[in-house]
Every structure is written in structure tokens, then in C-alpha cells.
Amino acid sequence: LPGNQSAMLLDVAARTSLQPKYDIVLYGATGFTGQLVAAYLHSVQDLQGQKWAIAGRSPAKLAALATKLGAGVSSIAAELTDAAATADLVSSTRAVINCAGPFSQHHAEELLGECARRGVHYSDLAGEGFWQADMATKFHQVAERSGAKIVLGGGVDSIPSDLGCMLAIDALSGEGGPIQARAVYTEYTGSFSGGTLNSGRAMSRARNEGRVTAAMEADPYLLAPGTTGADSAVGTADGMPAGFGWGLSRRQPFFMGPINARVVRRSLALRGLAQQVSYSECSSVGLWLRLGWVYASRGLGYFRGEPINLSPRSGEGPPSWLLEEGAFAVEVTATAASGAQAVATVAGKGDPGYGATAKMLAEVGLCLSLDAHPSAAGGVLT
């Protein structure tokens, strides 16, 4: 062959040899949420004809899940404490999505860090702010250099808040001066799993070990280290005024507010808007009334033959009827200095933390793996 044709063939062969085996790997696939994500990935049209794998620590559990899902799903058994196994897993795929929490305790740093170093995209469901802040500090520049997109908050915490804020403030892009964004969750009908309880225990342990301090818990910009922004003076994680609490008011605290608000503020910092845009988050009293009505009208699930498990163990979560019938809705209002306003509503069906979150994380993984986004820089993103 002529020299130029030989060079072209060698170039194609080299690039082909570097193509990863899988488009996406789901780690922690055998847990409660992981199985929901796996089922969604197996059914989604985007992955038909593509190669993907479930992964985790137990070969037996992975084999059982692969059999349940059916043909076309590979499995990878890997302990994240095994550096070589983790490197092999990461190098085999374009993107990793991780459901194996609590992330601060289950060696997620090893998986995230390997992705950051190798230029492999990554997302998870972590709500442990101290751990997210640590990952942003350690790996943002590493991921910038490699091109890896490390996406924080890939589920209901904190996609609805983040998207709603972006849509609302972008609608005011022609306005100058400061913008105040307030998110109000009007619906959040769901329950919790053993994994949620484990994450709560992980936070308590981190406090006892001194990894989480009172200053950190009050820091609005915990996930954007070194940032001084529009919310710095407020001194609360959710952005609500100091002293805001439960009472006879249309607005009530929202338990996800501190987690979501910090992710939103990292988005603002990455976009250079931290000084211009303030963000706060709460819930409506209607959210709690609606949740109470759903629980009462279904007899806590006894009327449906599947009671809500109020003390779930690892691997247990909301009943199937709540996974399908749950819902969430958040309304974000952005107000410019001129008085102009824009409102964005983000809503979805399914128990927010599980039925809806499984779809969100799966779609984040699909977007990272299959969509073309060459102009978007790598880093620890949102």
C-alpha cells in the first residue's frame, strides 16, 4: 500500500484498539437503587445494540441479577479496594455510574479518582456533602486535564433543583444586576431505603470523627471551595434566613435543601455566576399535606397489600406501588433587580429517591457515554 494509506490504516487500527469494551458500567448494581437503574438501562432504546455491564463486589449476586435481566448484559466483579481491578473496570468503559453508597465509606473515591485520571466520565448519587467537597478539591483539576466529566448529584438530589435554577436564571439573561432564585418543592411523595439510613449513619460517623464540622454544615459554598458569593452572608446551607424553621407558614424547611442548594451553587460558581445569583430552597406546606394524604389514604400501604417499610435494611426500600405512584415537583422563581421574574417548574413521576432517581442517573450515564459533548470541559461538574 502507498505510505499515506498505510498510515491511515495504522491510525484506524490504533484508535480501534483503544475503544473501550463497554459504553457504560453500572457499579453497585445489586443494591436496591442499583437494580432499578439496571432495569431501566436494560429497557431503554438507547442501549439496544450497545455493550454495557453491571458491576459490584459479589459475583453470585451479579450473576443472579444478570439472569434476571436477560441476554445482553455482562457483569464485572471488582472490589474497589483492589487498585488493579478498579483500573481494569474503569479502562473497560466510556462512563461509570455508581450506586454503591454510602460513598464516603464504600471506597467510591477510588472509583471516582480512577475515572478522573483516565478520562472516563462518572456520576453517582452521593448526598454526603463533605465527601463531595473532598472529591471536588482532589480531582477537579485532574479531571480537567484528562477530560473526564465527574457529575455530582446525578439523581433527585440535585438534578431538579439544578435544572430549574438554570432555566429560570437563563430566562433573565438580558437583565443586569443581582438575581435571587428561590426553589420551592411543592411535591415529594415517596419513602426511603436501607441505603438512605446507612447514609445518615455515615454522616453521623463523619461528625463524630471530625470530618464534618459545624462550620462546614453552615457553609453555603462547601462544594465550591474558596468561593465568596451572593449567599456568603446568609450563612445557611439551604440559603434560607437564619432562624427559618417549622411553623404556621406557607413555606417550610426542606430536608434536601442543604444538599441541593450546594450543588446548585457549585453550578453557579462553575458558570461564573456565584457573585450575581443567590439561591435558596424550601418546601411548601402543601408538600407535607399531600404526602400525609397519600400515606393515610393507602393505609401506609396496607390497603395496597404492600406496607411501607419504615425500618428498611440494606437492599430494602419503598414498595412497588409507591415507586410508580410517587412524584416530585419543584418551582424555581428567579427575580432580577428590575423586578422581572422567570419561573421554571421541574416535575416527574415515581418515588423521587428511587423510581425517579433511577431514571435520572441512568440518563446521566447515557448522556455522558453516548452523546457528543467535545466542547464541554472536564472537571468535577454538576
Side-chain angles (χ1 to χ4, degrees):
L1 289 173
N4 61 337
Q5 291 186 21
S6 297
M8 289 174 62
L9 288 174
L10 287 171
D11 179 59
V12 170
R15 285 188 283 113
T16 301
S17 68
L18 294 175
Q19 293 298 312
K21 183 176 181 180
Y22 302 112
D23 291 292
I24 189 166
V25 169
L26 166 62
Y27 195 82
T30 62
F32 184 81
T33 306
Q35 291 190 54
L36 297 176
V37 177
Y40 182 85
L41 288 173
H42 192 58
S43 67
V44 75
Q45 188 64 35
D46 290 342
L47 272 185
Q48 300 304 311
Q50 307 290 338
K51 293 183 178 180
W52 67 287
I54 54 175
R57 295 179 297 170
S58 170
K61 290 182 179 180
L62 289 168
L65 178 57
T67 299
K68 179 181 177 182
L69 292 172
V73 182
S74 300
S75 63
I76 304 171
E79 288 277 0
L80 298 184
T81 53
D82 184 333
T86 303
D88 287 345
L89 184 155
V90 171
S91 63
S92 73
T93 185
R94 298 177 185 276
V96 173
I97 50 178
N98 185 10
C99 293
F103 298 87
S104 61
Q105 294 186 351
H106 285 174
H107 306 285
E109 178 178 341
E110 283 78 355
L111 183 57
L112 184 155
E114 193 67 22
C115 287
R117 288 186 287 270
R118 289 180 176 267
V120 173
H121 309 314
Y122 171 96
S123 189
D124 62 35
L125 300 174
E128 300 141 81
F130 72 96
W131 182 81
Q132 292 175 312
D134 196 27
M135 296 304 97
T137 300
K138 289 181 177 178
F139 296 114
H140 180 65
Q141 292 184 341
V142 175
E144 278 187 317
R145 290 192 294 269
S146 73
K149 297 173 177 66
I150 310 297
V151 178
L152 300 180
V156 76
D157 53 324
S158 302
I159 288 176
S161 300
D162 212 13
L163 279 180
C165 182
M166 182 191 72
L167 293 169
I169 65 174
D170 283 359
L172 297 178
S173 59
E175 298 286 333
I179 296 175
Q180 295 181 333
R182 164 70 58 84
V184 180
Y185 272 79
T186 58
E187 185 170 10
Y188 201 90
T189 304
S191 185
F192 54 92
S193 71
T196 304
L197 297 181
N198 289 337
S199 293
R201 295 185 189 105
M203 285 294 296
S204 296
R205 179 178 175 180
R207 291 187 189 96
N208 293 335
E209 294 173 346
R211 298 174 66 189
V212 176
T213 65
M216 291 170 65
E217 293 197 275
D219 184 0
Y221 293 99
L222 181 66
L223 300 191
T227 299
T228 299
D231 287 315
S232 292
V234 177
T236 61
D238 61 8
M240 300 301 290
F244 173 75
W246 299 97
L248 299 176
S249 171
R250 293 186 304 112
R251 300 287 177 258
Q252 301 293 328
F254 184 50
F255 62 96
M256 300 296 293
I259 298 171
N260 294 334
R262 286 164 166 160
V263 171
V264 171
R265 293 190 194 103
R266 181 164 182 85
S267 296
L268 295 172
L270 291 169
R271 297 181 68 191
L273 297 173
Q275 285 71 43
Q276 181 186 3
V277 180
S278 65
Y279 179 85
S280 58
E281 185 168 303
C282 61
S283 65
S284 70
V285 69
L287 179 153
W288 303 103
L289 294 174
R290 183 176 290 106
L291 179 62
W293 164 249
V294 170
Y295 275 33
S297 64
R298 276 75 167 178
L300 293 177
Y302 284 95
F303 298 165
R304 305 296 295 271
E306 286 184 274
I308 297 171
N309 188 347
L310 299 180
S311 57
R313 298 189 296 265
S314 293
E316 298 177 343
S320 61
W321 64 267
L322 191 53
L323 289 175
E324 296 179 4
E325 297 176 19
F328 71 88
V330 59
E331 184 177 280
V332 184
T333 302
T335 306
S338 66
Q341 286 191 330
V343 180
T345 299
V346 181
K349 295 293 292 182
D351 183 300
Y354 305 97
T357 278
K359 300 172 189 175
M360 293 185 211
L361 182 64
E363 289 292 343
V364 169
L366 292 170
C367 181
L368 289 172
S369 175
L370 303 181
D371 290 356
H373 31 74
S375 61
V380 177
L381 312 174
T382 59

